[in-house]
Amino acid sequence: MHRVIAALLAVASCAAIAHAQTSPSPPSSSPPFTLERALIAAGASSPSLEVADAGVRAAGAARTVAGLRPNPQVQVQVENVGGSGLYRGTQSAETTTGLALPIELGGKRSARIAVADSRRDRARIEAAIVEADLRERVTMAYVAAVSAERRVAVARQLAEFANRGFSAASTRVTAGAASPIEQQRADVERVNANVAFDRAVREAVVAKENLARLIGEPIAGELDVAWFDRVGTYGPAVPVSAQGTLIIAAAEADVTTADALVRLARSQRVPDVTLNAGARRLSASGDTAAIFGLSIPFPLFNNGRAAVSQAESERLQVDARRRVTLLETEQTIASVQAELANAAASARAAGGPALSAATEAARIARIGYAQGRFSQLDLLVAERTLADTNGAFVDALVAYHDAEARLARLTVPAPVIAETPQ
């Protein structure tokens, strides 16, 4: 039997090559719904991008707040009223009206601005991260939808083979050339193939609906199967550094924020000064006198040293986390590169001569079985080989495109953030 299958594969290879050279593919009636179109639609309707944009605007408003100076205070004070004797009523009242102006020392304002700037830059990087994550999600959903359509085509072909096999088995049993068991076995294969086809159709509908929900618009027409079948030519993977990527930019932005928080904590150790100036009116004599004052807090219980120690420890923690992120990202990039190369090799092997030969072998086995030249077992082996090859090809394409999307997500370059004048 193995020799028969080997002969079928050899004949099928030659037939498939000749068929590929002489039979052009029919043109598509309408342009397919491409991945790029899906990405554009998702970018226009995704609520996650709106959340990220709102975060950037909030960080910009926080930067404005950080640059504001303390408000002055208007102070009014009345003394020597409501007493007894000379101080009964308001005849001896002393009314003081003044203005208190807080003055920040130690660079507190510039330290606050530095913290707000770093958080605003981090919000912009977070917005870029959300966009990259959305692109990866849409790509994987598109891959799932188009691979489901490919599996529908495979299941349809197997169902057609099973229906023809049942017809051929019925004809042979009627002619007395085969046992009724063959007809029953062919009927089981037909039923199972039709059930598998119905299941594949339902899964394709669900996958397409999920993609439509993600991008926020209905999908008209077929998906881009040609893009799905296309595999890039990858040789030995060139190592890719994680430096300059979006992931490392986020970790470095966290370190910058931690540095600014250390600077802010140190500035808080310098006491602020409040200047007071006003006028006092003496009701008894009608005279008015100027008043000047200066108040400085005395750091007796809280001198800010503990806050500085906390900020410095958190800065060391964030910097260590940055180094861990760099190491893990480079390891992940190397692993995904290997997965991408392996998937590309598997797809080229499964979708090349092997798939053409298996398809032609199944066709020849079907004809030979109908003519009584091959047994039903030979036919089942040929069809199972075709199904396995088709499934391996689709699985390899899914693995390839998923790895390609993950590698693209890992290597997204950091956005260029323009400096804002202080």
Side-chain angles (χ1 to χ4, degrees):
M1 181 183 67
H2 294 290
R3 293 180 179 178
V4 172
I5 298 300
L8 287 175
L9 292 175
V11 173
S13 298
C14 298
I17 293 173
H19 179 74
Q21 292 176 349
T22 58
S23 300
S25 58
S28 177
S29 58
S30 60
F33 190 91
T34 62
L35 173 61
E36 191 62 30
R37 182 176 171 183
L39 292 172
I40 294 174
S45 62
S46 175
S48 58
L49 295 182
E50 296 179 4
V51 172
D53 292 340
V56 173
R57 292 194 298 270
R63 199 273 181 197
T64 302
V65 173
L68 301 178
R69 301 181 185 275
N71 290 322
Q73 298 178 359
V74 176
Q75 299 175 342
V76 179
Q77 183 177 3
V78 180
E79 302 178 14
N80 302 331
V81 295
S84 59
L86 295 176
Y87 302 103
R88 184 183 301 274
T90 59
Q91 59 183 357
S92 300
E94 296 181 2
T95 304
T96 304
T97 304
L99 184 68
L101 179 64
I103 299 178
E104 290 183 314
L105 301 177
K108 293 184 179 64
R109 178 172 175 270
S110 61
R112 286 198 310 270
I113 292 175
V115 172
D117 284 341
S118 63
R119 288 175 174 170
R120 181 197 54 194
D121 294 343
R122 181 64 173 84
R124 292 174 178 173
I125 294 175
E126 184 64 27
I129 290 175
V130 171
E131 183 179 356
D133 290 341
L134 177 63
R135 186 178 185 88
E136 181 184 16
R137 287 177 57 199
V138 172
T139 301
M140 289 189 171
Y142 190 90
V143 169
V146 72
S147 64
E149 288 191 352
R150 281 296 310 275
R151 289 188 172 92
V152 167
V154 173
R156 180 185 295 110
Q157 184 183 45
L158 293 179
E160 291 175 355
F161 281 157
N163 291 331
R164 294 172 186 171
F166 176 72
S167 299
S170 300
T171 302
R172 293 188 60 185
V173 170
T174 302
S179 169
I181 297 178
E182 290 191 8
Q183 184 179 6
Q184 295 296 327
R185 186 182 300 145
D187 190 26
V188 171
E189 292 290 332
R190 178 181 63 86
V191 172
N192 291 336
N194 289 329
V195 170
F197 173 68
D198 293 338
R199 182 173 59 250
V201 170
R202 287 190 294 270
E203 292 176 352
V205 171
V206 172
K208 205 168 184 178
E209 290 177 351
N210 289 337
L211 177 61
R213 293 188 188 97
L214 183 60
I215 66 177
E217 71 174 47
I219 299 176
E222 299 296 326
L223 299 179
D224 194 355
V225 180
W227 168 84
F228 181 73
D229 292 342
R230 192 179 305 117
V231 178
T233 55
Y234 281 87
V238 178
V240 177
S241 176
Q243 291 289 353
T245 60
L246 193 58
I247 299 175
I248 304 305
E252 291 176 348
D254 292 337
V255 174
T256 303
T257 301
D259 288 335
L261 289 172
V262 171
R263 177 186 170 188
L264 179 61
R266 289 173 179 171
S267 68
Q268 297 293 337
R269 297 194 62 191
V270 180
D272 295 335
V273 174
T274 302
L275 299 179
N276 297 277
R280 174 173 294 179
R281 183 179 181 278
L282 305 176
S283 298
S285 62
D287 296 330
T288 302
I291 295 178
F292 299 96
L294 175 67
S295 62
I296 302 176
F298 184 64
L300 178 60
F301 301 107
N302 183 11
N303 58 8
R305 187 174 300 171
V308 173
S309 178
Q310 177 186 1
E312 290 176 346
S313 299
E314 291 176 351
R315 196 270 177 201
L316 293 176
Q317 181 186 25
V318 172
D319 184 65
R321 189 180 296 118
R322 178 192 62 82
R323 296 195 300 271
V324 171
T325 301
L326 177 61
L327 178 61
E328 291 179 348
T329 302
E330 290 182 343
Q331 291 175 342
T332 305
I333 288 176
S335 298
V336 175
Q337 280 186 304
E339 293 178 15
L340 183 64
N342 293 336
S346 299
R348 285 195 295 268
L355 181 59
S356 299
T359 302
E360 191 65 14
R363 188 185 69 82
I364 295 175
R366 177 66 56 198
I367 297 174
Y369 173 71
Q371 297 175 355
R373 299 173 58 187
F374 299 125
S375 68
Q376 190 180 42
L377 183 58
D378 294 335
L379 174 63
L380 294 177
V381 170
E383 290 182 347
R384 190 173 296 112
T385 301
L386 173 60
D388 293 343
T389 305
N390 268 310
F393 181 43
V394 175
D395 291 341
L397 288 174
V398 171
Y400 171 79
H401 288 293
D402 283 350
E404 189 178 40
R406 286 187 288 128
L407 182 61
R409 170 63 183 86
L410 289 169
T411 57
V412 173
V416 177
I417 299 176
E419 295 291 336
T420 302
Q422 298 273 336

